[in-house]
């Protein structure tokens, strides 16, 4: 199918993927060579990575889905064994497009091409949220230390002036 789009219909916006053996498929720049092919071959590995990334993107509010048909397909997209697919009698065509996009969004070439590192942004957002939720460190002021060199005296509610007692050597 990918070859027909590229060569017969002269559609230029095609992905070129390199087979890396056990490492799986890697998105490339579109240069033909050994192990390169047009389009992504959906394997157990790419499907696993794509569904995992899709889940992370949706939960992290990085992928917002506004289309009713996609949401309807997601509601019938279930786990079956170690994979995911549509329930019997339902389709998963639209969801698989999101799975492919989610796989694609995690590829180095995609990050370089778009200058967007979605996973990096999600990690930074999560780190900032954790830091914001942490309790702040407390500071103890004994009233005697004066790091700015000011006088530590103050007036109380009755208007009396309070000053720290200072001792000199020999007193």
């Amino acid at each position: 199918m990918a070859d027909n789009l590229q060569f017969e219909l002269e559609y230029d916006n095609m992905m070129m993927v390199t087979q890396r053996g056990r490492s799986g498929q890697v998105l490339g720049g579109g240069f033909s060579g050994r192990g390169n092919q047009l389009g992504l071959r959906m394997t157990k590995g790419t499907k696993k990575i794509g569904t995992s990334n899709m889940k992370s993107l949706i939960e992290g509010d990085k992928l917002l889905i506004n289309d009713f048909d996609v949401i309807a397909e997601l509601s019938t997209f279930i786990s079956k064994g170690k994979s995911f697919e549509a329930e019997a009698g339902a389709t998963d065509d639209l969801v698989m497009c999101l799975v492919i996009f989610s796989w694609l969004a995690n590829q180095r070439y995609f990050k370089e091409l778009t200058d967007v590192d979605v996973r990096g942004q999600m990690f930074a957002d999560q780190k900032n949220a954790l830091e914001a939720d942490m309790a702040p460190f407390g500071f103890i002021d004994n009233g005697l230390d004066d790091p700015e060199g000011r006088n530590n005296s103050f007036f109380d509610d009755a208007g009396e002036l309070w000053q720290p007692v200072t001792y000199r050597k020999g007193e």
Side-chain angles (χ1 to χ4, degrees), residues 105-159:
N106 199 34
Q107 295 293 306
R108 178 181 295 140
Y109 183 74
F110 181 83
K111 295 172 189 174
E112 291 172 359
L113 191 63
T114 61
D115 289 331
V116 175
D117 184 3
V118 177
R119 301 282 287 184
Q121 286 178 350
M122 288 177 61
F123 178 75
D125 292 346
Q126 203 171 33
K127 181 181 169 190
N128 291 338
L130 283 173
E131 288 175 358
D133 287 344
M134 289 179 17
F137 290 104
F139 295 97
I140 299 174
D141 185 9
N142 61 8
L144 298 176
D145 300 329
D146 189 12
E148 283 87 26
R150 295 174 291 151
N151 186 357
N152 286 327
S153 61
F154 65 93
F155 289 96
D156 66 4
D157 294 337

Side-chain angles (χ1 to χ4, degrees), residues 67-128:
D67 185 59
F68 177 78
D69 295 327
V70 175
I71 294 170
E73 280 193 13
L74 276 171
S75 67
T76 61
F77 195 66
I78 60 169
S79 171
K80 186 170 183 182
K82 292 184 177 182
S83 186
F84 289 89
E85 61 184 40
E87 290 178 344
T91 61
D92 62 359
D93 298 339
L94 299 174
V95 174
M96 290 311 294
C97 291
L98 292 179
V99 170
I100 292 170
F101 169 76
S102 300
W103 176 86
L104 183 72
N106 199 34
Q107 295 293 306
R108 178 181 295 140
Y109 183 74
F110 181 83
K111 295 172 189 174
E112 291 172 359
L113 191 63
T114 61
D115 289 331
V116 175
D117 184 3
V118 177
R119 301 282 287 184
Q121 286 178 350
M122 288 177 61
F123 178 75
D125 292 346
Q126 203 171 33
K127 181 181 169 190
N128 291 338

Side-chain angles (χ1 to χ4, degrees), residues 11-36:
Y11 183 72
D12 293 330
N13 298 322
M14 296 293 295
M15 300 189 297
M16 183 69 75
V17 176
T18 305
Q19 297 291 339
R20 295 282 168 99
R22 290 187 177 253
S23 300
Q25 301 177 74
V26 178
L27 183 66
F31 305 107
S32 60
R34 183 180 165 105
N36 290 350

